């Protein structure tokens, strides 16, 4: 349950200034500092009418949003509500529609973080979908801790350059077990990041894809790994949407974007139209953003997933030694080219096909890969690639 006192968890001691204190309703609003940085906040107090949303609550939240937008400062919302104040009827619905409008405008402008309590229900819960980051199903202390990390590491608004912090981790540090992490994106991203720092995106569970934010030489970087965890190697619509959301965050805040990929392609047990629409939206996001983008192919990539998630939309492409790209399964390709043959002949032809069409060396020779790297040296090459865009950051 979220209560008024929880608002003090986010701010530096003594810095919180409540606004609209005498305008009594279920929402507390105000501003303060987080390690000296200006932050605005609203909180639904579940002990007051169950945190019910009302016209007065909407006005208080819109006021704090207007202040945050003018200051180009982050805003944190604590959501814990059983729904609308029924007595207000359509007036409350209208007020919420207007609040939705304000929050939508802010989505393109400032950093928004939402923390959901136990009773975050109905349309109020929908505000979470407009936030850049939202936390649910975790303790308030943990959610606040992660929110502070985001506030300190991310730009406060679009158009600002991300800060670069001191890093005491060796940029040339080798990741000797990189190959063993290829199918565990979460651990791979941690291994590459400064001192193992990794802030994972919340949202729908996507076993084949891990997405979030790492630090390279003290700089926050958006990163994802398509990894085949838990036996799920094909990309479904949920994974593609999560990837698109990560690209959009990188674009909004001017962060470098890094992708690690091995995949068997798109899932065939979902609605194909939905998967293709999600894939097209991701491809559009990757092509429209002009932030520095680095691709690292860690294993085998098969089929149309390469066209969506790889290719010329990336500024630099590295391939781990032994990685491959295939338009279709090599054995299937051999059967199509040579027709019915013995098992041994088909396998030999498949091997020849891979060696002539699919290997990292072939792709490098054709200009589709900029460099083949030792997996253990991934951090070194990634740091160097991002450093080459120092003027952008």
């Amino acid at each position: 349950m979220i209560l008024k006192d929880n608002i003090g968890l986010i701010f530096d001691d003594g810095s919180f200034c409540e606004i609209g204190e005498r305008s009594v309703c279920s929402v507390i609003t105000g501003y303060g500092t987080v390690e000296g940085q200006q932050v605005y906040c609203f909180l639904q107090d579940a002990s007051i009418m169950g945190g019910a949303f009302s016209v007065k609550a909407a006005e208080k939240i819109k006021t704090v949003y207007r202040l945050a937008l003018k200051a180009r400062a982050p805003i944190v919302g604590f959501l814990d509500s059983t729904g609308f104040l029924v007595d207000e009827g359509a007036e409350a619905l209208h007020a919420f529609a207007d609040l939705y409008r304000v929050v939508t405008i802010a989505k393109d402008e400032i950093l928004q973080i939402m923390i959901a309590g136990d009773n975050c229900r109905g349309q109020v819960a929908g505000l979470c979908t407009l936030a850049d980051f939202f936390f649910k199903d975790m303790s308030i202390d943990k959610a606040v801790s992660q929110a502070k990390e985001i506030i300190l590491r991310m730009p406060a608004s679009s158009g600002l350059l991300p800060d670069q912090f001191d890093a005491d981790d060796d940029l040339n540090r080798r990741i000797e077990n990189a190959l063993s992490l290829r199918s565990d994106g979460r651990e791979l991203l941690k291994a590459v990041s400064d001192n193992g720092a990794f802030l994972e995106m919340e949202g729908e569970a996507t076993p084949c894809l891990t997405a979030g934010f790492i630090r390279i030489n003290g700089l926050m970087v958006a990163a994802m790994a398509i990894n085949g965890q838990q036996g799920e190697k094909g990309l479904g619509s949920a994974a593609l949407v999560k990837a698109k959301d990560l690209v959009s965050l990188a674009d909004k805040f001017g962060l470098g974007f890094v992708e690690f990929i091995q995949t068997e392609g798109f899932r065939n047990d979902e609605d194909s139209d939905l998967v293709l629409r999600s894939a097209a939206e991701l491809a559009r996001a990757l092509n429209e953003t002009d932030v520095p983008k680095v691709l690292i192919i860690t294993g085998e990539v098969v089929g149309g997933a390469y066209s969506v998630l790889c290719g010329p939309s990336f500024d630099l492409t590295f391939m781990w030694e032994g990685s491959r790209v295939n338009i279709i399964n090599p054995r299937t390709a051999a059967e199509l080219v040579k027709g019915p043959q013995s098992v041994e002949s088909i396998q030999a032809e498949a091997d020849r096909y891979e060696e002539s069409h699919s290997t990292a060396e072939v792709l490098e020779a054709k200009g589709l890969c900029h460099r083949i790297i030792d997996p253990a040296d991934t951090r070194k090459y990634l740091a160097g690639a991002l450093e080459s865009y120092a003027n952008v950051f």
Side-chain angles (χ1 to χ4, degrees):
M1 177 182 289
I2 292 176
L3 304 173
K4 177 178 180 178
D5 291 345
N6 293 141
I7 207 166
L9 297 174
I10 196 81
F11 294 111
D12 299 334
D13 289 344
S15 72
F16 177 63
C17 177
E18 184 176 351
I19 56 178
E21 184 176 4
R22 297 186 185 280
S23 180
V24 180
C25 70
S26 62
V27 173
I28 312 301
T29 57
Y31 57 87
T33 59
V34 176
E35 294 197 18
Q37 181 173 331
Q38 183 82 354
V39 175
Y40 289 80
C41 186
F42 69 91
L43 177 147
Q44 291 180 306
D45 188 339
S47 69
I48 302 176
M49 298 181 294
F53 183 86
S54 63
V55 172
K56 188 174 289 185
E59 288 303 320
K60 290 184 73 172
I61 297 172
K62 285 189 294 182
T63 295
V64 82
Y65 260 95
R66 283 194 291 269
L67 292 170
L69 282 164
K70 188 162 187 176
R72 299 196 68 79
I75 190 163
V76 178
F78 292 83
L79 302 175
D80 198 344
S81 173
T82 54
F84 290 96
L85 195 61
V86 177
D87 289 349
E88 293 185 337
E91 192 177 4
L93 293 173
H94 186 82
F96 185 80
D98 196 32
L99 174 60
Y100 228 90
R101 178 186 63 82
V102 172
V103 176
T104 301
I105 292 170
K107 184 170 179 62
D108 293 329
E109 300 293 333
I110 60 174
L111 175 62
Q112 295 186 76
I113 303 170
M114 301 288 183
I115 297 172
D118 298 332
N119 291 314
C120 186
R121 302 174 187 171
Q123 292 188 61
V124 175
L127 292 175
C128 290
T129 65
L130 294 175
D132 300 306
F133 299 88
F134 72 90
F135 302 102
K136 62 178 182 178
D137 301 327
M138 66 174 64
S139 70
I140 297 297
D141 287 345
K142 182 178 179 181
V144 167
S145 176
Q146 295 206 35
K148 286 184 174 182
E149 171 75 5
I150 292 166
I151 291 167
L152 296 175
R153 293 288 174 179
M154 298 286 284
S157 68
S158 59
L160 296 179
L161 293 177
D163 289 328
Q164 186 164 8
F165 296 85
D166 292 335
D168 58 2
D169 197 350
D170 182 3
L171 291 178
N172 295 316
R173 171 171 54 79
R174 284 174 59 84
I175 307 169
E176 300 294 352
N177 63 335
L179 274 176
S180 68
L181 301 177
R182 182 163 50 190
S183 293
D184 190 342
R186 186 172 291 104
E187 293 306 316
L188 177 58
L189 293 176
K190 288 180 180 179
V192 169
S193 183
D194 295 345
N195 303 118
F198 177 51
L199 181 63
E200 187 167 357
M201 281 184 69
E202 296 294 317
E204 187 170 348
T206 52
C208 69
L209 180 142
T210 303
F213 301 85
I214 61 176
R215 295 205 296 267
I216 302 293
N217 196 22
L219 194 69
M220 185 75 93
V221 177
M224 70 182 198
I226 300 165
N227 50 60
Q229 262 189 332
Q230 301 175 23
E232 184 181 312
K233 297 182 180 180
L235 289 162
S237 57
L240 293 165
V241 169
K242 180 179 281 189
K244 189 263 293 182
D245 289 344
L246 183 68
V247 175
S248 298
L249 281 173
D251 183 58
K252 175 178 176 178
F253 294 111
L255 305 179
F257 181 80
V258 178
E259 177 187 310
F260 294 85
I261 182 170
Q262 66 162 355
T263 180
E264 294 179 355
F266 300 127
R267 293 183 63 168
N268 56 17
D269 59 347
E270 285 190 29
D271 182 321
S272 60
D273 288 341
L274 177 60
V275 172
L276 290 174
R277 281 198 301 272
S278 301
E281 290 174 1
L282 171 58
R284 178 179 178 181
L286 281 167
N287 282 288
E288 287 185 345
T289 182
D290 59 359
V291 301
K293 298 184 290 292
V294 181
L295 173 69
I296 301 172
I297 298 175
T298 62
E300 185 179 30
V301 179
V302 180
Y306 177 90
S307 301
V308 172
L309 289 136
C310 305
S313 60
F314 283 84
D315 302 299
L316 286 168
T317 296
F318 298 118
M319 294 184 71
W320 280 7
E321 295 167 349
S323 59
R324 296 169 183 264
V325 175
N326 279 302
I327 190 168
I328 57 174
N329 180 282
R331 188 177 181 85
T332 304
E335 291 171 345
L336 288 172
V337 172
K338 294 297 183 179
Q341 293 188 44
S342 68
V343 173
E344 295 78 8
S345 296
I346 287 294
Q347 186 58 54
E349 186 60 36
D351 292 342
R352 283 193 291 272
Y353 178 88
E354 276 211 289
E355 290 305 313
S356 61
H357 289 76
S358 310
T359 67
E361 289 77 13
V362 169
L363 269 66
E364 185 180 37
K366 292 182 177 181
L368 304 181
C369 162
H370 295 102
R371 190 178 181 100
I372 302 168
I373 64 173
D374 179 346
D377 287 331
T378 298
R379 177 173 160 83
K380 176 178 73 174
Y381 283 101
L382 181 55
L386 294 171
E387 184 63 28
S388 69
Y389 290 96
N391 289 342
V392 177
F393 298 124

